[in-house]
Amino acid sequence: MSTRKTINRFATIGGLCTAVALAATGCGAGGPTTSGSAASTVNVLVEAGGHAELTGVAEQCKKDAGIDVNFVELPYDGMFNRLSSEFSSGNVSFDVAALDSVWLPSFKDAVQPIDELFTDEAKKDIFPALVKEANVDGHFIGMPAWTNAEIILYRKDLFEDSANKAGFKAKYGYDLAAPTTWQQYKDISEFFTKDGMYGTDVKGGVETEWLAHVLQAGSPMILDENNNVVIDNDAHREALDFYTSLTKYAPPGAAQVDWAAAQNLFNQGKTAMTRFWAHAYRQIPKDAPVAGKVGAAPMIGGSAGVAGVPGPWYLSVPKATKNTDNAKKFVKCAYDYNSMGIESSLGLASRISAFEKYQDKAGYESFGPLIETLNGDATATRPATEKWQQIVDTVLVPLLQKAVAGGDSAALLADAKKQIQDLLK
């Protein structure tokens, strides 16, 4: 399941046709007639929620370049179909499209290179995994607009409690603190699993955390650079075994726990730690039992170092647009004023400097850990295959659900390899 799709289910941002327009914005292809000439108007196709991230950018682009921006919003499930249909016809109603990272392989031939925007300076300010993913077949085809990654969120009040500190040290022989190794994470999870609370969660309904463990163990996830299926190698098995070992410290029913369920468990005070998308730190409701009691730490590393699985979206320009110059101007505006997205509902950006600008401000304590995770030596984006979503939905999630329910890792991975090989034929 797409990172952004799952995030939007619980972030509650945007709607099918929210009205924040720089020019008149309507639902449907291109919206109604805009003020200003057609040449100075850029139609930007976004998934519901992406509008909020780009509103400030659009306002600034109007000031700097005189370009009106007409946002066309679609729900996630409908956006891929719209993109597929219009790209196939060669007649597009938009000049810029915000693309989920997992869509880049599907639409790589329908969007044009924007290599000139990826200067040496720009590439230094974009996380390495995103620079790599944006380059498809030797050309940059999307400028990252925002990204995210899982970090560690933990109950700071519980970790700082004197009785907990003394009890933990007596049992494990070292101080209770935000974990920096997976053994520490396991010890802490065990310690806090008592009195109706659980140390952590295990999300059998999503694949990302397990894949982060795979990267930390030094293996590419699922496919190697030659598209060979490697899901049955030792790193995948060891990562799966460790991940499922945490179920004894997690709430029951792990096979059905997804992002929304895990976030609710943590916010309601049922878990002492969670591995979760960094944006959620700032979205804890003020009336939640854990409000004001949460700390943030980087994702933990394995033998290959710290690794997370980023969840970026990219701004791309279709080959079929007749408004290329202004479309690229908007994409450059989105890069130049990328930090404006941090003030939006979702509160994310893609440039390193944008996150650094806020990381020392109160309320943004998750940004330092997010930067460290996204810059991790082994952090990598999902495999570049147009079959990825199908692999996730039909193979990876069912595999995890069986694994957390007690299935044999080696057998499950061997079966998954055959299924993925069949999908890629």
Side-chain angles (χ1 to χ4, degrees):
M1 184 172 288
S2 161
T3 300
R4 181 53 182 271
K5 181 178 180 181
T6 53
I7 286 174
N8 261 358
R9 286 186 175 179
F10 51 78
T12 319
I13 54 174
L16 178 57
C17 189
T18 54
V20 184
L22 280 302
T25 302
C27 291
T33 302
T34 61
S35 59
S37 67
S40 63
T41 299
V42 172
N43 292 318
V44 180
L45 182 64
V46 294
E47 183 262 350
H51 189 168
E53 283 284 310
L54 295 171
T55 295
V57 168
E59 292 170 346
Q60 195 64 48
C61 198
K62 170 72 171 177
K63 294 177 184 177
D64 288 2
I67 296 173
D68 289 310
V69 180
N70 178 49
F71 287 106
V72 182
E73 292 186 72
L74 290 174
Y76 186 94
D77 289 335
M79 190 168 171
F80 182 87
N81 293 334
R82 168 71 76 86
L83 289 163
S84 298
S85 175
E86 295 199 18
F87 282 148
S88 295
S89 72
N91 184 22
V92 297
S93 61
F94 51 88
D95 307 304
V96 176
L99 302 182
D100 191 342
S101 60
V102 299
W103 296 344
L104 289 181
S106 297
F107 300 136
K108 63 180 182 178
D109 295 326
V111 297
Q112 54 183 292
I114 52 172
D115 296 333
E116 67 273 21
L117 300 182
F118 279 81
T119 62
D120 290 341
E121 182 180 2
K123 285 185 283 189
K124 290 178 183 177
D125 200 22
I126 300 172
F127 295 102
L130 275 61
V131 173
K132 182 177 180 180
E133 184 173 52
N135 190 318
V136 179
D137 296 338
H139 291 287
F140 291 100
I141 62 172
M143 176 63 74
W146 56 85
T147 192
N148 208 349
E150 284 185 86
I151 60 173
I152 308 296
L153 300 181
Y154 64 96
R155 285 285 300 279
K156 188 167 57 174
D157 59 324
L158 298 178
F159 279 55
E160 294 174 351
D161 179 82
S162 57
N164 286 336
K165 291 169 72 172
F168 185 87
K169 188 163 187 178
K171 184 173 183 178
Y172 299 100
Y174 60 93
D175 291 331
L176 176 61
T180 58
T181 70
W182 286 114
Q183 183 59 54
Q184 292 173 1
Y185 192 93
K186 197 168 188 175
D187 290 345
I188 294 168
S189 296
E190 179 184 53
F191 180 76
F192 282 114
T193 301
K194 57 187 176 183
D195 303 327
M197 173 175 277
Y198 298 91
T200 187
D201 58 63
V202 172
K203 307 175 187 72
V206 291
E207 79 291 347
T208 314
E209 288 176 4
W210 167 49
L211 295 180
H213 283 295
V214 171
L215 295 174
Q216 292 158 19
S219 171
M221 56 177 118
I222 312 301
L223 306 175
D224 68 13
E225 60 183 9
N226 297 315
N227 247 23
N228 296 311
V229 182
V230 295
I231 193 172
D232 61 337
N233 67 14
D234 289 343
H236 283 79
R237 181 183 52 77
E238 291 168 7
L240 187 58
D241 285 342
F242 175 79
Y243 191 64
T244 59
S245 74
L246 296 175
T247 55
K248 65 182 73 173
Y249 314 123
Q256 304 308 315
V257 174
D258 59 9
W259 297 118
Q263 184 183 41
N264 185 61
L265 285 166
F266 185 75
N267 286 349
Q268 294 304 313
K270 300 298 184 183
T271 52
M273 297 186 294
T274 185
R275 294 151 291 184
F276 213 86
W277 301 102
H279 81 287
Y281 177 84
R282 296 184 59 233
Q283 293 187 340
I284 297 171
K286 293 181 180 180
D287 60 352
V290 303
K293 304 174 182 178
V294 177
M299 179 52 70
I300 298 168
S303 59
V306 170
V309 181
W313 276 60
Y314 296 85
L315 297 179
S316 295
V317 179
K319 290 179 179 178
T321 182
K322 298 178 181 178
N323 199 11
T324 292
D325 289 345
N326 283 331
K328 290 187 176 182
K329 287 180 182 178
F330 175 77
V331 175
K332 187 175 188 305
C333 281
Y335 172 82
D336 289 342
Y337 298 100
N338 183 251
S339 64
M340 286 184 164
I342 293 175
E343 300 292 346
S344 73
S345 302
L346 188 59
L348 290 171
S350 63
R351 292 178 62 177
I352 298 170
S353 61
F355 287 112
E356 289 177 339
K357 180 179 176 181
Y358 284 81
Q359 67 176 344
D360 295 326
K361 296 183 179 181
Y364 295 90
E365 289 84 359
S366 62
F367 279 9
L370 178 59
I371 292 169
E372 185 172 339
T373 301
L374 286 169
N375 271 328
D377 291 339
T379 289
T381 54
R382 295 162 178 81
T385 170
E386 60 186 36
K387 299 282 189 176
W388 180 248
Q389 197 62 56
Q390 190 176 359
I391 291 171
V392 169
D393 294 340
T394 64
V395 183
L396 301 187
V397 171
L399 179 157
L400 272 177
Q401 290 176 324
K402 293 173 184 175
V404 299
D408 178 78
S409 295
L412 288 170
L413 293 171
D415 182 57
K417 180 175 184 176
K418 294 177 183 177
Q419 294 181 58
I420 296 170
Q421 288 173 331
D422 288 342
L423 285 174
L424 294 177
K425 287 180 180 177

